[in-house]
Amino acid sequence: MNNTTLPEVSRDERTVLRLTAEQLRQNAAPSASESSIAVLEPGGLGEPFRLVVGDAASVDEIVVGYEAAGSRFERSWVKARRAGASSYYRLVGDSSSAGYISA
């Protein structure tokens, strides 16, 4: 028998902000907002979406649940970088290629 040692798996705590599509629209940030802002890349040709969050620095991932064609889906972004009061999030997944969220 070969007693191969597996690499150690590390686990870290991630803060995930879960929103509905309606909550996303309700928390849209005005262009000149001074608040802590999460900037979500559109994943397409649109403009980035700016979202007011209490403490964007502490949110690692943003997941938005939405419905399309009578089914439930999720779109998710992970934090890519921080600059000033803004945190920038990169689109990493959409459980439906048919759904698209825009403000």
Side-chain angles (χ1 to χ4, degrees), residues 3-69:
N3 290 333
T4 304
T5 304
L6 296 174
E8 184 176 324
V9 177
S10 64
R11 299 188 190 277
D12 62 326
E13 295 291 322
R14 294 185 57 81
T15 303
V16 179
L17 173 61
R18 293 189 174 277
L19 302 167
T20 64
E22 182 59 30
Q23 289 170 319
L24 181 71
R25 283 189 280 281
Q26 289 173 353
N27 290 297
S31 296
S33 178
E34 299 289 326
S35 305
S36 185
I37 300 294
V39 181
L40 308 179
E41 81 171 14
L45 295 175
E47 291 288 320
F49 188 84
R50 297 167 47 86
L51 174 68
V52 176
V53 293
D55 183 10
S58 69
V59 177
D60 300 307
E61 182 177 1
I62 297 174
V63 177
V64 177
Y66 66 96
E67 289 189 26

Side-chain angles (χ1 to χ4, degrees), residues 75-100:
R75 197 159 212 210
S76 58
W77 293 263
V78 294
K79 188 183 327 184
R81 66 184 176 91
R82 180 150 176 85
S86 298
S87 290
Y88 294 83
Y89 293 81
R90 178 176 42 87
L91 181 65
V92 293
D94 191 338
S95 60
S96 166
S97 61
Y100 190 81

